[in-house]
Amino acid sequence: MYSLGACLYELLTGRLAASAAARAGTLASRRPESHITKVIPRSLEPIVRRALADHPDARWENAAELA
């Protein structure tokens, strides 16, 4: 689900959801919070945020649930 959230984020913002360090395995800087509310429409923001949640249990269970 995180990967799908990252794709959604990138499609909506034109920016990478993960930094180079995060892609290399350091997850501390993977989500640019300050940018998400400025670009993503308010109706889609909670969907993207949940897909990008830090803990897998907080994310959508599957793509059908996200849809």
Side-chain angles (χ1 to χ4, degrees):
M1 291 288 43
Y2 182 84
S3 296
L4 179 57
C7 289
L8 286 172
Y9 179 90
E10 291 172 18
L11 287 169
L12 292 166
T13 66
R15 293 178 154 209
L16 294 175
S19 68
R23 287 190 303 276
T26 305
L27 298 177
S29 62
R30 71 178 182 195
R31 192 169 23 133
E33 289 288 341
S34 62
H35 190 71
I36 197 168
T37 57
K38 294 178 183 174
V39 179
I40 295 177
R42 288 181 190 237
S43 60
L44 295 177
E45 181 184 342
I47 295 167
V48 174
R49 282 189 184 274
R50 184 168 173 188
L52 294 175
D54 289 332
H55 299 288
D57 291 342
R59 297 180 199 144
W60 303 101
E61 189 171 327
N62 54 54
E65 188 177 282
L66 183 142

